[in-house]
Amino acid sequence: MIEIKNISKRFGDVHALDNVSLRINDGEIVGLLGLNGAGKSTLMRLLVGLLAPSEGSISIDGIDVVQQPDAARRALGVLPDTAGLYKRLTARENIAYFARLQGMDEAAIKPACDRLIELLGMASIAERYADGFSLGERMKTALARAIVHGPAHILLDEPTNGLDVITTRAVRRLLQAQKAAGKCVLFSSHLMYEVENICDRVVVIAGGRIVADGTVSEVVSHTGCASLEEAFVQLSEIKEHDYVAHP
Amino acid sequence: MWRTLKAIFYKELIDAVRDKRALRLAFLPPVYMVVFFALGIGFAIHLQKEVRSNIELNVSGHAPELIAWLEENQIKIKRHDIDESDKDLYQAVESGDLDMGLSLPIEPQAPGAKEPLPVTLVYNAANQNVHGPLGTVRNLIYQFSSRHAAINVMARGLSPELMAPVRIKETNVASDQQMGGLILAGVPLLLLMSAMMGSMGFAADMTAGERERRSLEPLLINPTSSSLFITGKWLAAVSLTLSVVALTLVLLSIALALLPFNQMGFRVDVGVMAVLSIFWSLIPVAMIAAALQLALGILSRSFKDAQTYMSLLVLLPMIPFFIVMTSPGIYADWQLWVPLLGHQTVLKDLLLGDAAPSWAFTAFWLSAVPVVLLALGFAGRQLRRAKVIYG
C-alpha cells in the first residue's frame, strides 16, 4: 500500500504540489491524469525520494520514504519520464545492471531478464547496443529494467508512450498480472482510452492539487460530462483557472 | 555491498572500453607525447654530436699518443706549426684568430718518461664560444692522464683502484649537457601529465555524461547509496588511468633504452625496478586525479563543459615542474607530503637510478587519502542534489 499524506512541494514561490493526499491499495491500478506541468512528475519524484517534500509524508508499506529511502526504493519498480539507457550497453546488459543494483541474486538475473525480454517481445534487440534504439525500443528496455527485480509496487510515468499496439497490449497484460499479484500500480498517462481500459481508479491532478478521485464512471458522472476526456478537460481547466485566480 | 560495488565497477569499465571517443582521448596522448619526446631527444643528440665532431684544436709541439687519443675522440687536430715554442699560438688566441689551442713540448717525450707531460691549454675565457669545446678537450686530457697513470701503476704490480680513493658518480648537468638535464627533468612532468589526464574522458562521461543523457534519475531510483556509485566509478577511472600510465611507462622505457644517450655523454639506465617504483608512486596521483575529475565532472552539465573544467587539472603538475625547474635547490623533506610537488623530485631521482627517500611512497599514499576522500565525498553529495539529477 502506498500512502501519501498532505504532501506539499514548493520550488521557490512555485507550488508544484499543494496538500495532496492519496492512498493506493494493494491490487489496484490507479491512473494519474494531468496536463503538462500539473505536478505528475513531481509526485512521482517525491514517491521515490529523489525530491524531499516541503510538507507531509509518504510511506510505502509503512516505510517512510524520507527516512528510509533505500528500503522504500527496494519495494518500488519505477519507470521515470526519461529512459536514460546506457547507449554502449546492450538491452540485456542495461536490464541486468539494474537487477544487480537492486541486489538480485546473480542466478536469478538471467531468467528474470529472459522472461521480460520474451514478454515485451524484445528478443531481436536484446543483444544490441541501446545506441540506435527507437523510442519504443527504449521504452521497452526501460520498462523491463524498472520491474526486473519483481518490485512490490510499480510506478510508471507514461509507460505506453511510443509503443506499438502489440507491445501496448503486452504492457497492459503485464500490469493486469501485477494487479492480480496484489501489487499497487500507479501510472500516469495522457491517453484517455488507456486509462479507461485498465485503471480501477482515476486520479486527476491540476495545478498541484487532486481535483478528482474515483472510478472512471464516477469521475465522468460527477462532472456531468459524456466522456472521460471531456471530464478531464473540464476539471483541468476549471482548477487551473481557480488556482491562478486565488493563489 | 561488495557485489553492488563490483557491478558498478564492471559496468563503468565496459561502458568506458566501448567508448571509442574517450579511448582515443586517453590512449593517444601517451603515444604522441613519447614519440615527440623521443624525436626531441634524438634531435638534441644529433646536434650534440655535430658540435662534438666539429671541435677543432690547434696544436703546436709534439705528443703523438695524446694527439692520437684526441683524434680517436673525434677532435679535429690542426697543426699550428711553429719554430719557437708557443708564442704564435698565444698570439693567435689573444688576437681572436683561434678559439683555443694546445701547446705541447717541442720534443716528443721519451717512452717510459717519469715526469709529467707539460701541456698548456690556451684560451680566452671571455670568449663564450670556447666553454663547451674547452670542457670536452680538458676532460679528454684528464681521461688520457688517468689511463696512463693506471697503466703505470699496474706495471708496478699495484691495483689502479689505489689511484682512486674517491670515485665520483657524475649526474652531470654541466654546460654542454644542460640539454640532457632539461630533457630528463621533463620526463616526470610527462608521467604526471599522463596520470592526471588518463581518465579525463571517462570521468567526464561517468558524471557529466550521465547528466547529459539524463540517466541519473533512473540510476538513483535504485536502493544504492551515492557514495557506492561514486566509489565504483572512481575505481573504474583509476584502473583506466593506471593502464594509460602503464602504457606511457612501457613506451618511455623503450624510448629510453633505444635512444643513444651515451653519445651525449651521460648514461640513462632505467631498470625494471625503477619503472615499477615510478608506477607505484604514480598510483596515488591517479587516485587523486580520478577523484578530482569526478568532482568537477558532476558539476558540469555536459561532456564538453566537463572537459573544459578538467583540462585545468592538467596544469596542476606544471606548477611544481616550474618550481623545481627554476630553483632546483629548494627540495625539502616536507615537499614529499605535497601531492605532485614531491613527485617531481622523486621521479627524477628514480629515473637517474637513485633510490627514493625510504618513506617517499608512504608520504605519497598518505597525502593522497584526504584529497581523494574530500573529492569523492563532495561528488557523492552532489550526485543526490535535485539540481544535478534534473538540471
Side-chain angles (χ1 to χ4, degrees):
Chain A
M1 191 179 70
I2 298 175
E3 193 154 26
I4 301 169
K5 277 190 199 153
N6 309 104
I7 279 286
S8 294
K9 178 66 188 175
R10 288 182 292 273
F11 298 103
D13 290 337
V14 181
H15 290 245
L17 287 176
D18 189 12
N19 202 22
V20 168
S21 295
L22 183 64
R23 172 199 285 231
I24 304 163
N25 302 306
D26 290 351
E28 192 177 40
I29 300 182
V30 175
L32 190 60
L33 289 177
L35 297 174
N36 294 328
K40 299 188 306 276
S41 289
T42 304
L43 186 61
M44 290 282 193
R45 289 166 184 182
L46 286 165
L47 279 168
V48 295
L50 287 181
L51 289 180
S54 305
E55 276 152 39
S57 69
I58 299 175
S59 68
I60 290 155
D61 291 336
I63 304 165
D64 188 283
V65 173
V66 175
Q67 278 154 22
Q68 294 172 272
D70 281 347
R73 286 180 193 130
R74 215 162 276 131
L76 292 176
V78 186
L79 177 74
D81 58 350
T82 51
L85 298 178
Y86 294 105
K87 289 186 296 182
R88 290 180 295 270
L89 300 189
T90 64
R92 181 188 287 281
E93 283 167 342
N94 266 296
I95 301 169
Y97 179 43
F98 271 42
R100 290 196 185 96
L101 291 180
Q102 284 284 355
M104 270 180 88
D105 264 354
E106 204 58 38
I109 291 177
K110 182 149 191 322
C113 290
D114 285 340
R115 198 174 50 80
L116 284 167
I117 285 167
E118 201 207 316
L119 190 71
L120 292 168
M122 295 168 55
S124 61
I125 60 164
E127 313 302 333
R128 263 175 50 196
Y129 289 171
D131 201 4
F133 280 9
S134 69
L135 176 63
E137 288 165 342
R138 283 205 297 273
M139 286 299 286
K140 283 195 263 187
T141 311
L143 184 61
R145 199 172 69 164
I147 58 175
V148 62
H149 57 293
H153 308 296
I154 298 179
L155 311 175
L156 309 167
D157 207 344
E158 301 180 23
T160 53
N161 232 358
L163 297 186
D164 56 37
V165 181
I166 308 275
T167 322
T168 306
R169 283 188 175 180
V171 172
R172 257 185 242 154
R173 276 201 305 277
L174 193 106
L175 295 184
Q176 297 289 2
Q178 305 292 327
K179 173 191 168 182
K183 299 178 180 183
C184 302
V185 177
L186 176 69
F187 85 94
S188 74
S189 183
H190 288 300
L191 308 172
M192 297 303 145
Y193 63 87
E194 200 64 61
V195 174
E196 279 184 275
N197 263 326
I198 47 175
C199 290
D200 302 305
R201 226 172 99 198
V202 181
V203 172
V204 181
I205 190 165
R209 284 183 229 169
I210 292 181
V211 291
D213 181 357
T215 62
V216 174
S217 53
E218 277 169 7
V219 171
V220 172
S221 62
H222 180 73
T223 52
C225 295
S227 69
L228 180 62
E229 184 172 320
E230 275 178 35
F232 170 62
V233 169
Q234 200 186 59
L235 284 164
S236 297
E237 276 180 348
I238 291 168
K239 287 300 164 181
E240 195 77 11
H241 181 74
D242 261 4
Y243 191 70
V244 173
H246 318 286
Chain B
M1 194 182 95
W2 291 115
R3 251 174 37 111
T4 316
L5 189 62
K6 210 174 92 185
I8 298 167
F9 173 73
Y10 276 131
K11 180 260 159 191
E12 294 297 349
L13 218 52
I14 291 174
D15 212 350
V17 168
R18 290 179 188 168
D19 185 355
K20 298 288 177 290
R21 174 172 67 166
L23 275 187
R24 267 199 304 275
L25 199 71
F27 286 92
L28 277 186
V31 175
Y32 60 67
M33 280 206 293
V34 173
V35 167
F36 284 141
F37 166 77
L39 284 178
I41 293 194
F43 188 60
I45 290 174
H46 178 71
L47 280 183
Q48 201 89 9
K49 236 165 81 184
E50 204 97 293
V51 169
R52 172 104 180 233
S53 59
N54 281 341
I55 296 179
E56 273 187 8
L57 187 62
N58 291 274
V59 179
S60 67
H62 299 278
E65 279 182 62
L66 176 57
I67 289 189
W69 165 255
L70 290 174
E71 280 180 325
E72 231 171 78
N73 284 282
Q74 283 102 37
I75 307 287
K76 275 192 194 138
I77 302 293
K78 255 191 172 170
R79 299 297 317 175
H80 188 85
D81 267 317
I82 17 80
D83 311 313
E84 38 190 78
S85 82
D86 40 57
K87 215 176 179 186
D88 283 20
L89 200 58
Y90 273 119
Q91 280 168 348
V93 172
E94 212 172 5
S95 64
D97 295 344
L98 297 177
D99 279 343
M100 63 170 168
L102 182 67
S103 166
L104 302 169
I106 301 164
E107 293 298 319
Q109 219 175 11
K114 297 290 175 291
E115 315 79 49
L117 176 75
V119 303
T120 312
L121 260 176
V122 188
Y123 60 92
N124 181 353
N127 180 355
Q128 286 294 326
N129 292 334
V130 83
H131 293 290
L134 177 69
T136 311
V137 172
R138 190 190 276 138
N139 272 339
L140 286 170
I141 296 174
Y142 282 142
Q143 280 175 31
F144 177 80
S145 166
S146 51
R147 272 165 57 121
H148 272 255
I151 292 167
N152 288 340
V153 166
M154 277 202 303
R156 283 154 187 80
L158 293 170
S159 161
E161 302 265 302
L162 285 174
M163 302 252 318
V166 177
R167 175 171 293 156
I168 307 176
K169 181 179 174 202
E170 295 202 12
T171 51
N172 199 343
V173 202
S175 62
D176 61 332
Q177 286 164 347
Q178 247 166 12
M179 190 96 77
L182 263 174
I183 290 163
L184 264 200
V187 173
L189 178 67
L190 190 150
L191 289 169
L192 288 174
M193 298 239 286
S194 96
M196 290 302 282
M197 282 166 48
S199 55
M200 230 167 74
F202 305 117
D205 193 73
M206 288 175 197
T207 48
E210 293 252 25
R211 284 183 69 176
E212 201 173 14
R213 64 180 107 84
R214 316 212 50 169
S215 53
L216 274 180
E217 183 179 6
L219 185 68
L220 293 174
I221 284 168
N222 290 296
T224 310
S225 76
S226 43
S227 51
L228 215 54
F229 279 124
I230 286 291
T231 310
K233 285 168 184 286
W234 176 72
L235 285 175
V238 170
S239 322
L240 290 159
T241 312
L242 289 182
S243 47
V244 173
V245 171
L247 173 72
T248 314
L249 273 175
V250 168
L251 291 176
L252 200 63
S253 306
I254 295 172
L256 291 180
L258 294 183
L259 284 169
F261 281 104
N262 51 350
Q263 292 186 9
M264 258 172 119
F266 68 164
R267 250 161 58 94
V268 172
D269 191 8
V270 185
V272 178
M273 270 318 288
V275 172
L276 289 180
S277 305
I278 290 170
F279 187 71
W280 183 245
S281 62
L282 285 174
I283 296 177
V285 179
M287 292 174 11
I288 291 174
L292 290 178
Q293 283 161 3
L294 290 176
L296 284 177
I298 199 72
L299 292 178
S300 324
R301 276 165 188 275
S302 69
F303 188 86
K304 283 201 168 149
D305 276 0
Q307 280 193 307
T308 311
Y309 296 141
M310 286 182 194
S311 56
L312 295 177
L313 282 183
V314 179
L315 299 179
L316 276 185
M318 301 241 187
I319 300 167
F321 173 72
F322 285 117
I323 293 176
V324 173
M325 274 290 296
T326 49
S327 35
I330 62 153
Y331 171 77
D333 282 349
W334 62 263
Q335 291 184 357
L336 292 176
W337 296 90
V338 182
L340 297 174
L341 182 57
H343 280 88
Q344 196 73 43
T345 312
V346 170
L347 290 185
K348 193 171 163 190
D349 285 354
L350 288 170
L351 282 167
L352 291 171
D354 293 338
S358 54
W359 36 273
F361 300 112
T362 322
F364 290 162
W365 280 78
L366 286 184
S367 60
V369 170
V371 182
V372 168
L373 287 182
L374 273 176
L376 291 186
F378 172 80
R381 271 197 309 280
Q382 293 297 312
L383 200 60
R384 287 255 177 229
R385 280 182 52 214
K387 239 193 186 141
V388 169
I389 303 175
Y390 300 112

